[in-house]
Amino acid sequence: MTTGWSTVTRFWPADWDRDGRTDLLGLQGADQMFAWRNTASGGVPSFAPLANLGAGWSSLTKLVLGDFTGDGKVDLAGWTAWNSDQLYVVPNTSSGTTLSRGQSIPMSTGWASITSYLVADYDGDGRTDLLGVQGSDQMFTWRGTHSGGTPGFTALTSLGTGWNTVGHIPTAQ
Ligand SMILES: [Ca+2]
Ligand SMILES: [Ca+2]
């Protein structure tokens, strides 16, 4: 495929333009996000030149992917790495073959004590929820309540303690 990947520190597969083909998102260093649109055809893999999704990503930790706005396009979420513990949603604003992201949208606070979390539609209503482990033992859920393209989550609900006895839950560390 392409060269120039030695500066990419982390990357994620995600269909960022929602065309049914898996694209790549990658952090260059800690701060700059790029996206490579999948242009595969006829069984031959290929990628478009990188698109710039902006800087400032080092301020967010524990990035996860999910459709948090309800438009069918996968978004990013993470919480501030220092000086506060606020969850942000970074909406996917891509249109056609142009990859882009919108301004980060602040959600709830209180995330500093969450050690790992995952994305799932836990209540089966079609909206993406979050599940997180506080410390190693207590699990919480935040139900997704997005409406009209605006992301939202309920206050947390406890799923009880004893989760430190359960291994291998796939979460964002
Ligand atoms: Ca795609
Ligand atoms: Ca979305």
Side-chain angles (χ1 to χ4, degrees), residues 120-136:
D121 180 10
Y122 197 66
D123 62 1
D125 72 346
R127 292 180 170 88
T128 305
D129 312 310
L130 296 172
L131 290 86
V133 176
Q134 187 181 56
S136 64

Side-chain angles (χ1 to χ4, degrees), residues 68-116:
F68 303 111
T69 65
D71 64 354
K73 288 183 293 192
V74 66
D75 311 298
L76 281 158
W79 63 85
T80 41
W82 55 81
N83 73 36
S84 70
D85 59 353
Q86 182 143 29
L87 181 73
Y88 283 86
V89 167
V90 185
N92 181 345
T93 55
S94 299
S95 176
T97 58
T98 303
L99 307 184
S100 59
R101 47 69 67 98
Q103 283 296 313
S104 301
I105 302 168
M107 301 277 106
S108 57
T109 57
W111 289 80
S113 62
I114 303 300
T115 49
S116 61

Side-chain angles (χ1 to χ4, degrees), residues 21 38-46:
R21 292 177 292 193
N38 186 335
T39 55
S41 111
V44 179
S46 62

Side-chain angles (χ1 to χ4, degrees), residues 14-23 37-38:
D15 183 7
W16 197 251
D17 64 355
R18 204 192 175 200
D19 70 347
R21 292 177 292 193
T22 304
D23 313 306
R37 196 167 57 81
N38 186 335

